[in-house]
Amino acid sequence: MKKIKIPESLFTYFEQAGQKRFYHQNSIIYMQEDQATDLYLITKGRVRVYSLFKDGREITIEIVEKGRIFGDSSFIQEATRPVSVSAVSDVELISCSLEAMLPYLALSPELTKLLFQLLSETCQHLSTLLDRSYFYDRYQKVAIFLLEQTRFTNEDKGIRQNELCYSHEEIGECVGLNRVTVTKILNEFQENRWILLSYKKITILNREGLESIIN
């Protein structure tokens, strides 16, 4: 499913309601259990949304790019952040509170509709992640990730259709597996001629082959 984005033509509403913020690569934007006050629109760069466990482990939930929103937990009064977010690259954001956005939502039915769709998309994404954690094995997790990430071209993520520029470690973080396991699985996929591996790039050669281990 292609991710919903806020078009640049609607960025002006966020600019009027909030303020621009800049973060360097690897900077923390907010931490799990911080007070949820603002909503964020990405106008440049990418961020990583991840969950922290008490034993120090991190599991990446999603990489979010330009035109998308994160921090929607701020819609709930006195809520805390359920996840942490850090900058994958240098990032430019617009942060604003829901209260500040309300007058602009009244002016733009299109923006209101998109925000509701984004909230629904977040719930669906989390439901999908939960299903994968319980019902898919390690081969299926990697295959699904490769297929879904390369289904559409996404220049803001550096993704072309059937071509993904992620390292093995980054894929592992996204699917909850260690790098060694991911490398082993990818090498097996390459032996089957389903993919072609090169430095920080994976090219899908046979989508049907990858789909065969999921169904």
Side-chain angles (χ1 to χ4, degrees):
M1 181 178 68
K2 197 167 186 177
K3 296 293 185 179
I4 296 167
K5 293 187 179 185
I6 303 295
E8 290 191 24
S9 59
L10 298 181
F11 282 11
T12 180
Y13 292 115
F14 289 87
E15 291 168 349
Q16 293 176 66
Q19 57 183 328
K20 287 188 177 182
R21 298 184 182 275
F22 302 89
Y23 295 87
H24 292 298
Q25 184 178 12
N26 298 322
S27 297
I28 301 295
I29 297 168
Y30 59 71
M31 292 294 293
Q32 203 165 306
E33 298 185 359
D34 283 354
Q35 195 67 32
T37 54
D38 286 356
L39 181 73
Y40 295 84
L41 169 69
I42 304 175
T43 56
K44 182 180 179 181
R46 293 177 291 161
V47 304
R48 180 171 75 102
V49 181
Y50 60 99
S51 184
L52 286 167
F53 294 88
K54 290 181 179 179
D55 61 6
R57 287 181 301 125
E58 298 179 1
I59 293 183
T60 298
I61 296 172
E62 192 175 10
I63 304 297
V64 187
E65 74 280 10
K66 178 183 175 181
R68 295 184 59 205
I69 284 173
F70 65 93
D72 41 281
S73 55
S74 61
F75 286 178
I76 303 171
Q77 190 173 16
E78 298 183 2
T80 57
R81 301 293 188 189
V83 294
S84 299
V85 180
S86 62
V88 173
S89 60
D90 288 345
V91 177
E92 178 184 289
L93 309 170
I94 302 173
S95 67
C96 57
S97 66
L98 178 60
E99 289 77 12
M101 280 297 299
L102 286 176
Y104 301 99
L105 294 178
L107 294 174
S108 177
E110 181 185 2
L111 179 58
T112 304
K113 179 182 177 181
L114 283 171
L115 285 178
F116 277 114
Q117 289 176 335
L118 285 163
L119 289 173
S120 177
E121 183 180 69
T122 298
C123 292
Q124 184 176 353
H125 179 68
L126 292 175
S127 177
T128 299
L129 289 178
L130 188 62
D131 286 344
R132 289 180 191 171
S133 297
Y134 283 98
F135 301 116
Y136 291 97
D137 65 27
R138 60 188 185 277
Y139 290 92
Q140 291 171 320
K141 288 177 181 178
V142 174
I144 291 171
F145 180 81
L146 295 178
L147 288 168
E148 289 192 348
Q149 291 296 315
T150 60
R151 198 174 302 278
F152 302 102
T153 294
N154 188 334
E155 293 181 2
D156 295 315
K157 273 190 175 180
I159 296 173
R160 297 190 179 93
Q161 192 168 13
N162 290 327
E163 187 177 285
L164 179 67
C165 294
Y166 275 37
S167 68
H168 298 186
E169 185 173 359
E170 288 169 333
I171 293 173
E173 289 175 347
C174 291
V175 300
L177 298 171
N178 64 54
R179 182 191 59 78
V180 174
T181 299
V182 170
T183 297
K184 180 178 181 295
I185 292 169
L186 291 175
N187 285 335
E188 289 185 35
F189 288 173
Q190 181 168 246
E191 288 172 6
N192 291 332
R193 297 184 179 179
W194 296 342
I195 65 172
L196 178 65
L197 298 174
S198 52
Y199 179 70
K200 281 196 174 183
K201 185 169 75 172
I202 301 167
T203 304
I204 310 299
L205 302 177
N206 185 345
R207 299 186 74 86
E208 291 75 16
L210 291 173
E211 289 168 351
S212 69
I213 67 171
I214 299 168
N215 302 320

